[in-house]
């Protein structure tokens, strides 16, 4: 394969050949970013090298950026390439690195301190002011958030759609600050669901730089019903019958959940 016509070689920055896979790219960035991070490497060239690694990974880890770079080089990537069909703007927007290598690093390692695995010369653990939890780069997930979902017997008999608004903390684009935003979660209640049925929305909890958002789980609870009690898949109706009618027999009218009127005969009680 031929390389870009001009400009820096992002593959060479990561010490890779042009046939590198996505796994190779991740592995190379992990190794070199840890090795050349300015908090660990005190050489004067470390900050520049660390930035080059971040830009190379930012490009090569993105399939679209990588595709343009592989075909048109850095010049095409940053200057834009002509679109096959274009009216007012017949060129793609040129790539501009955000120039924040720490952002790339923290997003890759999940915001944790990946240097906890290194030790000082005297054998003590090296603790660096990196901001965030100490660890080995593995993000932690908050425990599940469990909420009750109260449904009527009619909802559980017919099925329905419930829309629930939640407020959660969402990270902004800078990767450091957050804001509170609302989101609508939709639950499609299926006919026959029972009390205790669990519906889980994965990773819809609060976001943070050092954690995986918690799962949100709703647990079905049956609302009190004025006419029926549920026993598994059966409905129990309690009818109060005067003694005189009970002795000679009578008919009890029961309105079902689907609106039908049942005339249930009650035989005389001996």
């Amino acid at each position: 394969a031929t390389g870009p016509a001009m400009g820096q070689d992002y593959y060479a920055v990561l010490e890779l050949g042009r046939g590198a896979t996505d796994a190779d790219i991740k592995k190379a960035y992990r190794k070199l970013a840890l090795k050349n991070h300015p908090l660990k490497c005190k050489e004067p060239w470390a900050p520049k090298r660390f930035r080059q690694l971040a830009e190379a990974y930012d490009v090569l880890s993105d399939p679209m950026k990588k595709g343009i770079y592989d075909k048109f080089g850095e010049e095409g990537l940053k200057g834009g390439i002509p679109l096959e069909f274009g009216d007012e703007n017949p060129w793609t927007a040129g790539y501009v690195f955000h120039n924040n290598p720490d952002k790339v690093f923290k997003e890759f390692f999940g915001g944790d301190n990946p240097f906890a695995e290194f030790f000082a010369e005297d054998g003590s653990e090296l603790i660096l002011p990196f901001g965030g939890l100490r660890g080995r780069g593995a993000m932690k997930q908050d425990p599940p958030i469990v909420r009750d979902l109260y449904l009527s017997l009619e909802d559980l008999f017919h099925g329905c759609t419930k829309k629930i608004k939640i407020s959660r903390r969402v990270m902004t684009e800078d990767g450091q600050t957050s804001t509170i935003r609302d989101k609508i979660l939709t639950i499609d209640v299926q006919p026959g669901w029972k009390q205790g049925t669990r519906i889980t929305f994965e990773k819809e909890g609060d976001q943070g730089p050092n954690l995986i958002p918690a799962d949100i789980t709703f647990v079905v609870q049956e609302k009190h019903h004025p006419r029926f009690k549920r026993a598994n898949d059966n409905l129990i109706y309690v009818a109060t019958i005067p003694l005189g009618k009970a002795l000679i027999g009578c008919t009890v009218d029961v309105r079902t959940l689907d609106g039908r009127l049942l005339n249930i005969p009650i035989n005389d009680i001996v």
Side-chain angles (χ1 to χ4, degrees), residues 145-151 164 187 195-199 216-222:
I145 301 168
V146 181
R147 295 287 183 268
D148 288 331
L149 176 64
Y150 285 91
L151 299 173
I164 301 173
I187 299 177
Q195 180 156 309
T197 299
R198 301 171 75 89
I199 310 97
I216 299 179
T217 296
F218 294 93
V219 181
V220 171
Q221 304 291 344
E222 293 177 0

Side-chain angles (χ1 to χ4, degrees), residues 121-163:
E121 293 180 357
D122 61 359
S124 60
E125 187 173 5
L126 181 62
I127 302 173
L128 299 175
F130 192 72
L133 304 175
R134 292 177 56 212
R136 298 180 182 270
M139 295 179 71
K140 305 299 188 293
Q141 185 174 27
D142 282 343
I145 301 168
V146 181
R147 295 287 183 268
D148 288 331
L149 176 64
Y150 285 91
L151 299 173
S152 67
L153 286 181
E154 285 82 0
D155 290 337
L156 295 169
F157 178 82
H158 295 286
C160 64
T161 298
K162 294 290 185 181
K163 294 184 180 295

Side-chain angles (χ1 to χ4, degrees), residues 49 86 182 251:
R49 173 75 168 134
D182 292 337
T251 298

Side-chain angles (χ1 to χ4, degrees), residues 29-49:
Y29 177 75
R30 178 186 297 276
K31 173 185 174 182
L32 295 173
L34 288 172
K35 179 180 178 182
N36 294 280
H37 196 292
L39 289 178
K40 183 175 187 293
C41 180
K42 300 304 180 183
E43 297 292 341
W45 43 260
K48 181 179 179 180
R49 173 75 168 134

